[in-house]
Amino acid sequence: IKAAQNPRTSTVQYNIVPKTMRFSVVPLAIVAAGLAAAPLANGFAPTGGAAVSTGTFTASHGARRQQLLFAAGDDISTEASTEVDDFALDALKVAGAVNDLADQTIVVKYGGNAMTSDDLASKFCEDVAALQKLGVRVVVVHGGGPQIKSMLEKVGVESRFEGGMRVSSTEVVEVAEMVLCGSVNKKIASGICSAGGIAIGMSGRDANILQCTKMVDKSGYDLGYVGEVKDVNVEVLEDLLDMGIVPVISPIGTGIGDEKDIAYNCNADVAAGRIAGEMRAARVIFLTDIAGVLDKKMELLKELNIQDVKDLIDDETITDGMIPKVTYATDAVQLGVGAAFITDGRVPHALLREVLAGGGDSMGTGEGGTIVTN
């Protein structure tokens, strides 16, 4: 299938190659990227208008109507027809998901191997740019644990973890702020722009986006300058989204009142969950280095509700660094987020797959992680 845009009619024409040539199945990510590159009106929504010459069709773009009209000659082989049907079904799934999420906000926590692998990082930026072009409002909150660890070792500052959280002395926070708000943040924003999107990198201290107090650990650990997010400047994020800009936020927050000048190191999962909750986002997606929430037999739990999560923490099925993810996933859902995805970020195009592959209910594939709902 070869796509060509007609500059006069703003339609996209897909030409079928002769039956003597073999088709290759088009991956969902390529379908979505192709649709995202086409002219948009209030997000992607194919409508009718087919060119009925043998083996061609056109997909015009209109406001949130889904219709895919395919006209092909009888001489197309059964194999080719089946694979074209697969393409059409994928396209319809994408259209259904986009219709569900157009003009809605999703918050993505980006970190782990998805950041440290150049190939996965590039695909993540492509995913964000594609979603933005499709009319989805995306907020990115990133981590950077490996990069912080590397810099701490270089400068000779010791750190440790307690209860899945990094204990943050003044020196640790200074290094974390330097790394997260500097090279890491700008690399992500630049990558999204290079992929065809529009993004601005910023710290949680900028415009008081993340307003924090010192976190008091329930187990009695003194975590130092680890911040508990008390408020989010939703207005500035909404303003950026209204202007067609993806905010890329590093999880360094600011103090409140007399502590206004204090920088707090926030867990990125915590920050993403709270931002999603305050924005009443349609989805919050946590990209992780594991397949999702696993049971004690190490098998994937594809869907959990809030009570399930509490029970799994109580019986120590969920432990350590996974606790903040599921806890703030459930907190976000309780604040009004439609669903929280704990997704395997090691899978190429994981973001696109989980946002678009589920079709009209936009509930993901069910294979790429765990979904937490009410």
Side-chain angles (χ1 to χ4, degrees), residues 113-155:
N113 284 337
M115 285 181 66
T116 56
S117 162
D118 289 340
D119 181 58
L120 291 176
S122 176
K123 287 180 170 58
F124 171 80
C125 292
E126 291 172 359
D127 290 358
V128 173
L131 289 171
Q132 185 182 39
K133 292 175 184 178
L134 290 168
V136 182
R137 296 156 67 92
V138 185
V139 177
V140 176
V141 181
H142 67 83
Q147 294 89 335
I148 294 172
K149 179 181 177 182
S150 177
M151 184 58 69
L152 288 171
E153 291 173 350
K154 286 181 180 179
V155 299

Side-chain angles (χ1 to χ4, degrees), residues 14 46-48 57-59 66-70 84 87-89 91-92:
Y14 297 86
T47 186
F57 72 90
T58 61
Q66 288 94 43
Q67 179 182 3
L68 185 62
L69 181 58
F70 179 78
V84 171
F87 173 86
L89 289 173
L92 288 170

Side-chain angles (χ1 to χ4, degrees), residues 221-234:
Y221 298 120
D222 183 357
L223 299 174
Y225 292 98
V226 171
E228 180 176 357
V229 180
K230 291 295 185 180
D231 201 3
V232 176
N233 188 344
V234 172

Side-chain angles (χ1 to χ4, degrees), residues 74-105:
D74 293 336
D75 59 339
I76 294 179
S77 68
T78 301
E79 179 184 355
S81 178
T82 298
E83 292 185 345
V84 171
D85 287 344
D86 290 341
F87 173 86
L89 289 173
D90 280 346
L92 288 170
K93 283 184 179 180
V94 170
V98 170
N99 182 66
D100 190 45
L101 290 174
D103 298 326
Q104 299 295 311
T105 298

Side-chain angles (χ1 to χ4, degrees), residues 179-191:
V179 172
L180 295 177
C181 304
S183 59
V184 172
N185 183 265
K186 303 311 174 188
K187 184 176 180 179
I188 297 167
S190 176

